[in-house]
Structure formats: structure tokens, C-alpha cells
Amino acid sequence: MMPLTKRTRLTVWLLFLSKSLLIESSAHQHGHIDTSFQTPSHDSTQPPPESAAAFDPFDDHVKVNWDDTYLYIETNSLPEHEMMVGITAWNQQVPLPQNYTGTNRWQLPLHPVPATKPIIGREALFRGAIAIAVNGVPIFNPIKNDGKTDTNLAGELDEFGGHAGRADDYHYHLPPTFLNERLGDEQPIGFGLDGYPLYGYNEPDGTPARNLDQLNGHKHGDLGYHYHSSKDYPYLNGGLRGKVTVNNDEVEQPRTQPVRPFTQPLRGAKIVAFNQTAPNAYSLGYDYRGGRYTINYSVEDNGTVDFEFVDPKGNIETDTYRQKTSKDNRPPRGPKPDESSERRPPERTGGDQRQPWVKKHADELDANNDGTVALSEVMEEAKAIFMLQDQDGDRQLTLEEMTNIQPQRRSPVYGFLEKHNLEMDEDGDSKVSAKELADQFKQFFYESDLDNNGRLTPNELQ
Ligand SMILES: [Zn+2]
Ligand SMILES: [Zn+2]
């Protein structure tokens, strides 16, 4: 990570998002989905729990609620500082607001309970967040999802220790110790998802933290168990001391909602600029092979995200994606024709006239030849090819199984597997699971299913 002088940092703070802009962005983004914002679940006569106060300085864009058991945090995951600048190992993702609201919010146990066996971050929890910063940004294990790469040493992080993940979701992999300059040493800068607070390098009284356990935690004085930050690995809570629910190597947490298939690393690129150009619009500049490239993108009120890619010669390519809510992934009971004008399919203009996969292969996918493509037709074909290629029957496709094993019959699904194989590997285990495969083809389908009724009509297939 590049050292950041105080002066640079101050400029960054001033230059970046005015707070009111962020509120507006968050309201636009979530207003139609979240109705719980105005109706807090806590009894307002009860004093707020102590941990709620830690989020107060950011209450313009981070909302907290509580009941007897949990503190609930609603956030769009975007911080109040500049993002992405300084990254030298970049996977071409950009920060997009996430809808961590309503039932898809974060929750922290108000009364953390030590687990019988703590989870060690060197060995587990490589997926998803393990903590959340008090400014509403999720914090991931400093070791990324391949289980070995230290994201900090690999140049994957910006000057604030964050980057955008595969769902264009901004998160930190380092503790946000820069928040101590603003909040002082006495405030936690985050919380482990087990509910234990995370402090900076110092104790609340300003003395350096000492005698930390393997998880960067300890207990002293009036403070119960708590974590600290460190300059070297594990940098933050090196795992979780408290009880949590873990599924598939991930602590239970809200879901990201990708709007586009994830992108690939661009070796040799360096991100040099990031600006908010309007309440919901951003511009990211990077240097690559001696030229300056720019990505301009904006999030519309209806959730559509427009991308504009500008090359050093000024050529522009555009891409449009529609932001989905979790509701969109289920077909509604009846057709909703009045919404169809809002539900635009992804479109590519400019240089690349790539046709969506389902449209390109509509004839082959229409198994019963009724002129429409049903979601079930796509998913059954995906499942059939998965089973055929999964030679050892372990419900995982290796690169070998996707590319080197002769297909047993012609299928557009096999064609995609052969060409894009490990791009579908979301969890970085170098295999494609049945779920990862299903997610990909579901996404293809719903990108074209304008009225979300689970069936692509000739009109939608045009
Ligand atoms: Zn990450
Ligand atoms: Zn301490």
C-alpha cells in the first residue's frame, strides 16, 4: 500500500463526496426497495446500545437499528473517501452502491459469546466479510478467496485498504485505521461479525496495544474482549473469537447483487484517478500500456447502470446493465406489462455488437419447439451438460472436465463452458460448482427476460 501523507489525505477527504450527495444516492438507490428505514424496529424509549454510538459519526449514510439481540446496519457500502486509486493489481471491477438494506442488512450480536473454538482467519473465512467498519464498509479477510494471497502485498488495494469485488462491491481488506484520525483512539473503527469491537493500533488511552492473541484480540481493564489493528498480518481481527453462523466458509451476511458478469484481471494497469462526477455518477481513470483509459459510469433511479469506456484515443464503448433486486430473481405470479419499459435488457453499442447468449442460441434452447425459451429449458440443459461433463461425479467441474473432455453431444452450454470455464468460478477454488454454473445461466436468462415471467417470447428474443 502506498503511504498516504496527511496532506493528500486531507485533500482526498475534502475533494470527495459531499455527504449530502451520498444520502441522495443511497435514497435513490434503495427508496423503492426499502421501507423499513422510516420505521425503526427498536423501542425509542430504550437507550441505544453502546455499539450503535460508534456508527453515529456516519449516520448520514449508515443507518443503525437494534432489538434485544442484534444491532442492524444498513449501508450502500460506499465510503466518504476516495476509492480505488493506487491499485496496481486490478480485476476491472468498479465500486457500485450495494443494497444492504431491509432484510439484506448487516447484523452484529449485541452480546457477543465466545465460541468453543475460535475461527482462525489464516485457515478459513476466505469468502465474504468478517467485519464491518463504522463508516458502513464491509471488511474482508486480508487473505483473498484463493486462501493464500495477501491482498495488501499483492497490490490489490487502494490507499484506504479497499477495492471493488466481483459484484462491483466496495470493501476493505485492511482495517480503516485512518478513521482514528477523525474519531480518536477511544472509538472502535469497526466490529467483527461476531460483535466484538475492532480498535486501531492503540488502546483507547492512546498507548500502543500489546499482548494480542492470534486473532489480534485481548481483554483488559473495563473493556471486554476486543480486537486491534496491526501493521502486519493479520492487520485486523485475524478470525472470529465469538460465535457466528458459517455456511460454505462464509459468515452469515447480506448478499451482494452483481449487475454484470465479473471481469478479468488487467495486468499492468494502475488506477490513478477516481471522482464522483454527479450524485450517482463516477469516473475512474487508469494507466495501461502508456495510455490513459477512463471508465465513466452512473446509476440511474431505476437501477440501470450505464458504463462508458474511453480509450486513450477517445474512442467510446458503452454498456448498460439493469440492477436487479432479490425480488427480480423470482418470476412474478402474473405478467406486469406496465413495468416492461423500465426493464431494459443489457445492450452493447459502439464497437462490440456481442449478442446475448440466450438470444444467440434461442433455437437450440427451445427444447419443445414452441417458439419461446423457458427458464426451465435453459436450466435443464445446463444441468444435463453439467452431469455429462462431471466425470468423477463430485458435483464440481474442473478446467479439465470443461475443456478437455469430449462433449457427448452438441450443446450451446458446452460451447460456453469450453470458452469461459473458470470465469464462472465465483469462490476462487478453481472449480465450477453446480450452483456457480446455475447462477451464470440464470443470469443470462433474466438479462433478456424483460417482464420477468420466466419465459422468453419471440419479442424478447429479437
Ligand atoms: Zn476483496
Ligand atoms: Zn486493547
Side-chain angles (χ1 to χ4, degrees):
M1 189 163 72
M2 284 170 47
L4 194 64
T5 64
K6 276 201 175 144
R7 222 173 101 107
T8 325
R9 202 173 278 161
L10 180 66
T11 320
V12 161
W13 281 93
L14 295 177
L15 167 151
F16 203 61
L17 334 178
S18 112
K19 289 174 183 175
S20 58
L21 295 183
L22 238 182
I23 300 180
E24 196 186 345
S25 131
S26 162
H28 278 160
Q29 203 51 42
H30 306 137
H32 63 294
I33 303 161
D34 172 46
T35 51
S36 68
F37 251 70
Q38 278 74 35
T39 52
S41 58
H42 60 267
D43 176 352
S44 54
T45 60
Q46 292 290 316
E50 216 177 302
S51 49
F55 295 85
D56 276 354
F58 305 94
D59 64 359
D60 51 8
H61 65 283
V62 183
K63 301 286 169 218
V64 293
N65 264 309
W66 55 88
D67 54 23
D68 292 340
T69 323
Y70 293 106
L71 182 75
Y72 301 104
I73 301 143
E74 299 187 292
T75 168
N76 69 1
S77 84
L78 298 182
E80 54 295 326
H81 56 70
E82 186 183 67
M83 294 175 277
M84 305 301 281
V85 171
I87 292 175
T88 54
W90 179 46
N91 54 8
Q92 303 192 65
Q93 309 283 167
V94 300
L96 282 178
Q98 296 293 311
N99 182 22
Y100 298 132
T101 65
T103 53
N104 199 46
R105 62 196 168 180
W106 297 82
Q107 62 178 53
L108 299 174
L110 281 178
H111 313 287
V113 180
T116 355
K117 197 171 175 277
I119 307 175
I120 310 298
R122 243 185 227 283
E123 296 160 4
L125 304 180
F126 302 124
R127 288 165 51 95
I130 59 172
I132 182 162
V134 292
N135 63 353
V137 179
I139 311 176
F140 283 39
N141 194 329
I143 300 177
K144 72 172 185 184
N145 53 10
D146 63 5
K148 49 179 194 259
T149 307
D150 179 324
T151 47
N152 181 35
L153 302 179
E156 295 188 9
L157 305 179
D158 65 23
E159 291 163 346
F160 292 84
H163 66 184
R166 285 184 169 196
D168 292 311
D169 56 310
Y170 187 80
H171 55 259
Y172 299 131
H173 282 268
L174 290 179
T177 47
F178 55 87
L179 290 177
N180 283 128
E181 280 175 26
R182 174 170 165 191
L183 305 174
D185 288 329
E186 57 277 17
Q187 286 298 320
I189 53 175
F191 287 84
L193 293 188
D194 55 4
Y196 290 120
L198 167 68
Y199 288 87
Y201 303 121
N202 294 334
E203 296 298 351
D205 68 3
T207 58
R210 286 198 317 239
N211 300 327
L212 299 171
D213 64 19
Q214 190 184 4
L215 304 180
N216 259 9
H218 64 183
K219 206 174 182 177
H220 52 82
D222 294 342
L223 290 176
Y225 188 81
H226 58 278
Y227 302 111
H228 278 282
S229 308
S230 57
K231 300 253 155 95
D232 300 311
Y233 187 87
Y235 305 108
L236 47 122
N237 50 303
L240 292 170
R241 179 75 189 84
K243 267 190 194 159
V244 286
T245 308
V246 177
N247 296 311
N248 199 10
D249 200 33
E250 181 178 291
V251 184
E252 205 166 62
Q253 58 189 268
R255 312 309 311 171
T256 56
Q257 282 136 355
V259 297
R260 53 177 186 155
F262 64 84
T263 45
Q264 297 299 317
L266 186 62
R267 275 173 236 294
K270 180 177 181 338
I271 300 176
V272 293
F274 188 87
N275 292 296
Q276 185 169 27
T277 50
N280 292 310
Y282 306 88
S283 177
L284 180 152
Y286 63 96
D287 286 341
Y288 179 63
R289 294 187 175 164
R292 167 69 55 89
Y293 292 75
T294 306
I295 302 178
N296 301 312
Y297 63 99
S298 58
V299 185
E300 308 297 327
D301 287 353
N302 65 5
T304 301
V305 187
D306 294 310
F307 286 90
E308 188 181 86
F309 303 90
V310 188
D311 77 8
K313 289 184 184 143
N315 298 318
I316 297 177
E317 253 194 61
T318 61
D319 250 343
T320 297
Y321 296 95
R322 191 175 66 79
Q323 196 151 44
K324 290 186 178 219
T325 68
S326 51
K327 268 187 280 184
D328 293 342
N329 294 326
R330 292 194 304 265
R333 285 177 197 279
K336 291 188 189 166
D338 54 335
E339 278 185 23
S340 59
S341 59
E342 277 179 46
R343 295 173 180 259
R344 283 198 282 150
E347 58 193 24
R348 294 184 66 99
T349 51
D352 186 354
Q353 293 291 339
R354 198 170 60 185
Q355 203 184 5
W357 181 86
V358 266
K359 292 190 186 180
K360 196 166 157 194
H361 300 286
D363 285 349
E364 297 158 272
L365 292 166
D366 178 15
N368 64 359
N369 284 316
D370 67 350
T372 70
V373 175
L375 176 64
S376 58
E377 286 171 328
V378 174
M379 298 317 286
E380 271 160 34
E381 179 64 7
K383 190 177 164 190
I385 296 301
F386 185 90
M387 311 269 279
L388 285 172
Q389 299 303 121
D390 181 20
Q391 295 281 300
D392 57 4
D394 69 348
R395 311 261 307 146
Q396 301 274 349
L397 295 182
T398 59
L399 183 61
E400 166 90 17
E401 285 172 331
M402 287 183 279
T403 57
N404 278 351
I405 291 169
Q406 204 54 32
Q408 305 195 20
R409 62 180 171 78
R410 223 184 105 77
S411 164
V413 173
Y414 181 77
F416 184 83
L417 241 60
E418 190 182 28
K419 200 161 158 212
H420 297 280
N421 47 68
L422 290 178
E423 288 173 33
M424 285 177 282
D425 172 24
E426 284 282 346
D427 60 7
D429 66 352
S430 301
K431 287 175 192 160
V432 172
S433 68
K435 183 177 181 303
E436 285 167 337
L437 184 102
D439 285 349
Q440 175 69 69
F441 287 97
K442 239 182 247 169
Q443 184 180 346
F444 277 155
F445 184 87
Y446 280 117
E447 277 169 1
S448 294
D449 188 14
L450 304 185
D451 58 4
N452 265 25
N453 69 348
R455 184 167 286 281
L456 302 179
T457 57
N459 206 11
E460 290 168 320
L461 290 167
Q462 257 170 31

